[in-house]
Amino acid sequence: MVPYYKKGWFKVLIGFFILCLLFISFLPYAVRYGIEQWYLKQGIDSVAIEDIDINLFSGEFHLKNLRASKDGQNAVTLANATVAFEWLPLFKKRLTISQLHLDGLNTGIRQNKDGSIDAAQVRLAQQQQTTEKEESAWGIGLQAVSVNDAHFALSTPAQKANVIIDHISLDKLESWSEAGSQVEFSGSINNSPLNITATLRAFTQAPDIKGRLKIAKLDIAPAALHLQKQLQELGGQLDIDADFNITHQTGKKTQIASDGTLGLVNLSVKLADGHIATDRIQWQGKINLQLSDKSSLLDYLLQGKIDSENVEFSGSAQQAYRYRHNKLSWDGTVKQIDDTTGQTQVTGAIDAQNINLQDSGSQQELIHSEKLTIKEIDLITGQNFSAKQITLKNLRTLSTANTSKSKQRPALLQAGGLSIDMASFSTDKSLQVGNIRLQDALIHINKRKDGQLDQLATLTSPKTKAKKTTAAKDKTDTLQLLARLLEVAGNSKLIFIDNSVTPAFKTELLIAKASISNIDSSKPRSASPFILEAKSGKYANVNVDGDAYPFSTPLSLRLNAKLKNLSLPSLSSYSAKMIGYDMRSGQLSATIKANIKKGKIDADNQITLANLEVRSNKSKTTEDFSAQLSMPLDSALSLLRDKNNNIKLSIPVKGDINKPDFDISGVINKGIGTAMRKASLAYLTHALQPYGSLITLAKLAKSAADHVSLNPIVFSVAATTPAEDVNPYSQKIAALMQERPKLRIKLCGVATIQDSQALIQKKLQDWSKQQQKIASDTPVKTRPPTFMIADEQLLELATQRADAIKDILTNQHNIDPARLFLCQPVIDKDQDAQPRVDLNI
């Protein structure tokens, strides 16, 4: 029997075994050589591998310390690599890698300007796009994959990024199974920590991945390169902590859902028309997106809350304003309602603290509120906006910001609160609001010397380009306003300061009630009833009501007003400007009925002036007013005062306010003068009946008034006593003076030519009698001398007549002689003049 080791089959077996041993022994060297040669062919300068170990029986491959360099720089380094696969699944056309482990990988990936990609400084071949679907009969399975301590330097022509993988693991990813694979990632992007825990199902009809993503303080500046058309600069840090779910249906759509928080810290965005900055803005809630196979947005739904802190928006030079709030929170939904037009609906509520809109040029606050609340918001982009309630607390508008107290100008409006119970705006330029309530308001109107409002004069005018528009377009673009009610309530006050008059006028109006309703710009002929009840100081009352037509052109207005106990000295600035007199004391009460219809004013003013004292400022205005009055103001006031020292006037005001030369102060000046003149003469005529029919106004050359002349008291020629019984007339004059305690009368004696002739005739009679006494039985005829009456004698006669009338009024009627003034006597040389005493007021 031949020994088995001498048999042929045994020798063949031994030879095969030796060949296998040689193959196994030289295989690591062959693999090392193949790797080195491949790298060298790719342009790598040098390649070094410390060790390669291959175990075909266990299906394991180990590589240790791979280093490849080019131009003196490391292209790739790999500390350890382990790959293990199973033999038996190969018979089922399944490549099963039971273990894939990489440790200490360090390399770079670069995208070139032509779109090609270099990995580890090796150009990757671009994959050819094919239209035919390729199918493989082989299955691939990964049982356990892990990567530790990997570093990737990513770069594009515009930016760079460093990705560090501390650890990444994946298990049981099998192309023949729909079971999910667990994925874990921990590392960083540009030193920003990144962690992902997810379940991946890659081999189903609708592949998906769901899990949790955490990223902290990721610099978002590189994203600006992809948004150059929308913004100029971008800065800030991104934080994400959210659950996510991404599902893709091949050829159909991709759905992305998340639930968690997304925040931006120190965000800075520079746009073409301004700059946005915020300390923090954070989204917390659910996001659902649906993309088409071309990655275009099909549908979206956001449900959650946005919180922001210290947000500031600064406009460009053409839009010189700045907006800021300390905190703002929005809670609601955003969803697409029409994928063809891209219309979006936003609903929810807003709470904000310390909102501020400022004019950058003048440093004025346009609006500031400590708290803003908007409830039940419903916004559809491109269509309309509505809110059930808008509330602002501690509101102020048009105030000076960032100045010392000495330079601080008061706000035009301060209020404890402003509430609007309904507001809506639609694309047809229609703004509708319900009840607007202003609570505890302080309105401060400060008029400058040039007539402008102080808070408005310094505002920066917007730089806008002029546009040519047709009248029809202007009408279409006009905003239509509809408001149910606007009211001022609580402890409200209006302070008005007018520096356009000297001295400056200041008054405070305590508002008990103020409202205007039914405001509708689409119906300019529709009345808007209004009411005002207020107090000026402690004692003056103001009550106004009527109908306004705020959108009527020309202006129309109906007004009824009652003023009571208004202090007159406070109005001296205006009285001095209009009539040239200061109000030294007194109170005003008035009933005003004014009607402005299509720009034409027709007002009836019933005025009562109590204890009025005035002083002339001796200006041109004083002369003009005296010309309107046709008598000195003192005389008119003396006539108008009753026994209680009150003056009652009816002053009409008429005019066309649309005329360029219309001046309300001039109209009032003329109205007051005419009313006082008519009232004075009417009173005298009535009081002195039947002796008042001859009351006249004696005028000077310049038509300025000198005095009011009453009926004179006529004397007989050359007599010092009245020609008739003057007691009825003197009683009338006495009653007039008793009823008007401040009335004074000048008594002017007048001598005439008739007096002179009568005195000459008396002298002739006396001479004749004397001649008769001295004549004898044969009288001698003597020619009478020529007698003359000196003016001094006539003036003395006139003075005696004035004294006689003063004695009658003083002794018989108890008139204070201090109220009766004797003027210089005169000689009236008119042939028909009567000897008399003129009574002038």
Side-chain angles (χ1 to χ4, degrees), residues 248-254 291-294 298:
H248 174 69
Q249 292 181 350
T250 305
K252 294 184 179 180
K253 58 186 178 182
T254 300
L291 309 177
S292 71
D293 56 346
K294 297 181 180 180
L298 291 179

Side-chain angles (χ1 to χ4, degrees), residues 95-112:
L95 177 59
T96 301
I97 298 175
S98 58
Q99 181 181 5
L100 173 60
H101 175 74
L102 300 177
D103 191 11
L105 176 62
N106 191 338
T107 187
I109 300 175
R110 180 179 65 197
Q111 181 185 23
N112 302 302

Side-chain angles (χ1 to χ4, degrees), residues 64 77 141 157 166 258 360 388 406 436 497 523 581 631 752:
K64 184 177 182 181
T77 62
D166 295 330
S258 72
S360 301
K388 185 176 181 180
S406 60
I436 305 174
I497 300 176
K523 299 178 181 178
Y581 286 86
M631 71 183 76
T752 65

Side-chain angles (χ1 to χ4, degrees), residues 373-419:
T373 302
I374 307 178
K375 296 181 178 180
E376 296 190 24
I377 298 171
D378 190 351
L379 167 67
I380 298 178
T381 57
Q383 286 193 356
N384 55 57
F385 164 84
S386 67
K388 185 176 181 180
Q389 187 177 50
I390 302 175
T391 304
L392 293 97
K393 291 187 178 180
N394 294 330
L395 168 72
R396 65 174 180 263
T397 62
L398 291 177
S399 63
T400 306
N402 302 324
T403 58
S404 62
K405 289 185 178 181
S406 60
K407 297 181 180 180
Q408 183 82 22
R409 288 198 300 266
L412 177 66
L413 168 65
Q414 289 181 247
L418 171 66
S419 62

Side-chain angles (χ1 to χ4, degrees), residues 70-235:
K70 183 178 181 180
D71 298 330
Q73 296 181 352
N74 288 331
V76 60
T77 62
L78 177 61
N80 290 287
T82 300
V83 180
F85 66 93
E86 298 178 1
W87 289 103
L88 292 178
L90 293 175
F91 296 100
K92 297 180 181 181
K93 290 188 175 184
R94 294 179 179 177
L95 177 59
T96 301
I97 298 175
S98 58
Q99 181 181 5
L100 173 60
H101 175 74
L102 300 177
D103 191 11
L105 176 62
N106 191 338
T107 187
I109 300 175
R110 180 179 65 197
Q111 181 185 23
N112 302 302
K113 292 182 178 180
D114 60 1
S116 61
I117 297 176
D118 292 345
Q121 297 193 8
V122 175
R123 182 66 51 89
L124 301 181
Q126 296 185 0
Q127 185 177 359
Q128 297 289 333
Q129 293 184 354
T130 61
T131 57
E132 295 182 1
K133 185 176 180 180
E134 298 180 358
E135 295 184 0
S136 174
W138 282 81
I140 300 175
L142 298 174
Q143 297 299 318
V145 177
S146 66
V147 179
N148 295 320
D149 192 20
H151 297 254
F152 294 92
L154 307 180
S155 64
T156 68
Q159 62 187 26
K160 295 181 180 180
N162 291 317
V163 178
I164 297 176
I165 300 176
D166 295 330
H167 173 74
I168 185 171
S169 65
L170 182 148
D171 67 340
K172 293 183 180 180
L173 180 61
E174 298 170 335
S175 62
W176 57 83
S177 173
E178 294 186 358
S181 175
Q182 299 300 314
V183 180
E184 292 186 1
F185 176 96
S186 63
S188 64
I189 300 177
N190 291 339
N191 298 321
S192 298
L194 172 63
N195 292 275
I196 300 175
T197 302
T199 300
L200 171 64
R201 295 193 308 160
F203 302 104
T204 64
Q205 291 184 352
D208 69 352
I209 180 172
K210 61 181 178 181
R212 190 166 190 86
L213 170 65
K214 291 185 179 181
I215 189 168
K217 299 182 180 179
L218 176 64
D219 186 9
I220 63 172
L225 298 172
H226 305 288
L227 301 169
Q228 292 180 352
K229 294 182 179 180
Q230 291 80 16
L231 51 86
Q232 298 176 353
E233 292 182 8
L234 179 65

Side-chain angles (χ1 to χ4, degrees), residues 564-602:
K564 189 175 181 180
N565 301 329
L566 182 64
S567 177
L568 287 173
S570 63
L571 302 176
S572 284
S573 301
Y574 295 104
S575 65
K577 183 178 181 180
M578 286 194 297
I579 65 175
Y581 286 86
D582 296 325
M583 304 289 187
R584 306 295 292 172
S585 67
Q587 290 184 346
L588 167 70
S589 297
T591 298
I592 301 171
K593 292 184 177 181
N595 187 19
I596 302 176
K597 189 173 183 179
K598 295 183 179 181
K600 294 183 178 181
I601 184 172
D602 185 0

